[in-house]
Amino acid sequence: MFENTFKNKKILITGNTGFKGSWLTAWLLGLKAEVYGISIDIPTEPAMFKVLGLKDKITHYSRDIRDYASLKEIISKIKPDFVFHMAAQPIVVTSYLEPVDTITTNVIGTTNVLEALRVVNHPCTAVIITSDKCYDNVESVWGYKETDMIGGKDIYSGSKGAAEIIFKSYYHSFFKNTKKSNIRAVTVRAGNVIGGGDWADFRIVPDCIKSWVNGDSVEIRSPKATRPWQHVLEPLSGYLHVANELDNDLSINGESFNFGPHAEYTKTVIDLLEDLSEYWQLSQKPSYLSNTISEFHEAGLLKLNCDKALSYIKWLPTLDYIKLIEFTSRWYYNFYNSEENMLEFTLAQIKEYEEIALSKEIAWTA
């Protein structure tokens, strides 16, 4: 997988204790990488990072990425071969409640990562993860391309758009000249990610799982909102694949890439929940308390055009919608209803995902 690029390599993940960070950590461990992590805290309880016992399997630093001195010291000490920058304040609703914290984490934190890489200047391939919400969303049915306008109506979207601008300026100011800089970097954009192990507040699947476990009704803010849902392993395969490609091909240095599912996987929130509840094996149909009035702006439609990822690096999504629902539901169901070791179960899901991709001859399986 990934041409064995990550085997025995030093990989630094910022935000490694989060949902996506934990899945990426597990996958890289399975690929025999030497994993390091930087995170300010463990963001939820329960948390996938703790459930899988990942702290004992990597070198972990409890740091705030807004602390530039500490960040530079760690990067200088590790001299990572690859950096996946995931650390962020990731919740739209929270950005309304904590706008300054959101902006400093997502914008200044990203700047600190780029600056530390620039100053240390050890040969490194960096993948800067932003969000599909970096685009100025006019609810286009065609999906946003990497060249579309960035920005947003909410603080979270604005912070991610700003992070993209900072990256672009760093690339053109410092990283583009490969005779002076040893840093090669790209940004990646994805959204509407679901999968086992997410317990964040204000996210529809974790909200439902927590309610179903307690036998409660689920309150839905926007039941008719449509989203192109994707399993967490889909964008992570894109991040790993683009890192491998960038490590071997400078022509994509400084580029940005969207990673999303096939268009037919766009479903309403209520459709997704009905499908999840079926695989959750509930004894009776779940009840919902719909709340279509919200004090916070929330997009009705947001989808990405992923043609560039296909054209440049031959990336395609792997799972169909049925497998997406099955993977997500089985992970949570096993966590709450079995004694199975969840790290082993997670690695087994990753292995199954790899085997499906291999059967479809997807590029990164080489």
Side-chain angles (χ1 to χ4, degrees):
M1 299 292 161
F2 308 104
E3 300 177 318
N4 286 323
T5 291
F6 304 108
K7 185 177 181 180
N8 300 325
K9 295 295 178 61
K10 292 185 287 187
I11 318 289
L12 174 62
I13 305 171
T14 71
N16 64 302
T17 58
F19 164 55
K20 288 170 71 176
S22 295
W23 272 98
L24 181 59
T25 299
W27 199 345
L28 284 167
L29 289 173
L31 295 171
K32 309 302 182 185
E34 184 179 337
V35 182
Y36 299 79
I38 298 175
S39 185
I40 190 172
D41 58 18
I42 297 176
T44 62
E45 182 57 48
M48 189 175 182
F49 184 75
K50 291 175 67 175
V51 167
L52 303 190
L54 295 176
K55 187 175 182 179
D56 297 330
K57 301 183 181 304
I58 68 170
T59 301
H60 175 71
Y61 296 90
S62 296
R63 300 288 192 280
D64 188 335
I65 59 167
R66 292 172 292 187
D67 181 349
Y68 170 71
S70 291
L71 186 62
K72 185 181 74 170
E73 180 183 3
I74 292 168
I75 288 176
S76 180
K77 178 181 178 181
I78 297 170
K79 292 183 172 57
D81 300 298
F82 293 88
V83 168
F84 292 90
H85 172 48
M86 292 185 163
Q89 191 297 98
I91 307 298
V92 173
V93 172
T94 302
S95 77
Y96 284 98
L97 303 172
E98 301 172 5
V100 174
D101 184 69
T102 299
I103 292 167
T104 55
T105 300
N106 295 354
V107 183
I108 302 302
T110 299
T111 304
N112 286 345
V113 170
L114 295 170
E115 177 65 3
L117 289 171
R118 180 188 76 84
V119 171
V120 175
N121 202 28
H122 176 77
C124 182
T125 298
V127 178
I128 308 300
I129 291 90
T130 63
S131 170
D132 62 339
K133 294 179 179 63
C134 72
Y135 293 105
D136 184 15
N137 185 13
V138 293
E139 306 205 2
S140 168
V141 298
W142 305 111
Y144 297 97
K145 297 178 293 185
E146 290 84 351
T147 52
D148 285 337
M149 186 176 294
I150 59 175
K153 298 179 179 67
D154 58 85
I155 294 295
Y156 176 75
S157 299
S159 73
K160 289 300 187 177
E164 288 281 353
I165 292 172
I166 292 295
F167 170 81
K168 182 178 180 180
S169 64
Y170 258 81
Y171 169 71
H172 285 283
S173 298
F174 307 117
F175 303 152
K176 188 174 183 179
N177 186 343
T178 54
K179 292 181 180 180
K180 292 184 178 180
S181 175
N182 290 313
I183 307 303
R184 52 186 74 186
V186 295
T187 65
V188 293
R189 305 160 182 175
N192 307 300
V193 174
I194 66 173
D198 187 4
W199 281 284
D201 292 332
F202 308 119
R203 280 191 182 144
I204 187 61
V205 172
D207 286 349
C208 284
I209 296 300
K210 287 181 280 191
S211 296
W212 292 343
V213 167
N214 295 323
D216 298 331
S217 298
V218 182
E219 182 171 345
I220 307 172
R221 294 190 304 276
S222 303
K224 295 183 179 180
T226 58
R227 297 285 186 270
W229 309 100
Q230 61 179 331
H231 191 270
V232 60
L233 291 175
E234 301 282 37
L236 293 186
S237 75
Y239 303 168
L240 290 167
H241 183 43
V242 77
N244 179 36
E245 292 293 306
L246 177 58
D247 196 50
N248 295 297
D249 182 6
L250 275 173
S251 70
I252 61 173
N253 192 24
E255 296 287 345
S256 298
F257 293 92
N258 292 335
F259 295 106
H262 293 296
E264 60 266 29
Y265 301 164
T266 299
K267 303 283 185 178
T268 65
V269 170
I270 198 70
D271 286 341
L272 176 76
L273 299 189
E274 293 289 350
D275 293 336
L276 282 172
S277 69
E278 179 179 342
Y279 277 87
W280 183 252
Q281 303 178 35
L282 293 175
S283 58
Q284 58 185 19
K285 201 173 186 64
S287 58
Y288 307 104
L289 302 174
S290 297
N291 176 18
T292 56
I293 300 175
S294 174
E295 60 182 306
F296 305 124
H297 170 77
E298 196 163 17
L301 174 66
L302 178 56
K303 60 192 293 189
L304 298 178
N305 180 312
C306 301
D307 290 347
K308 182 178 177 180
L310 173 60
S311 177
Y312 279 53
I313 61 172
K314 296 181 173 56
W315 178 87
L316 284 168
T318 295
L319 299 181
D320 60 28
Y321 179 73
I322 293 174
K323 275 293 182 182
L324 158 70
I325 297 298
E326 179 189 331
F327 266 47
T328 302
S329 295
R330 273 201 291 132
W331 198 101
Y332 283 115
Y333 192 81
N334 273 36
F335 172 76
Y336 285 106
N337 295 283
S338 78
E339 299 297 323
E340 189 164 357
N341 180 295
M342 290 309 295
L343 176 59
E344 292 179 2
F345 182 83
T346 299
L347 291 173
Q349 279 206 333
I350 293 170
K351 184 66 175 177
E352 183 179 353
Y353 178 81
E354 290 175 339
E355 289 172 351
I356 295 170
L358 187 62
S359 72
K360 296 182 177 182
E361 301 182 335
I362 293 177
W364 55 262
T365 59

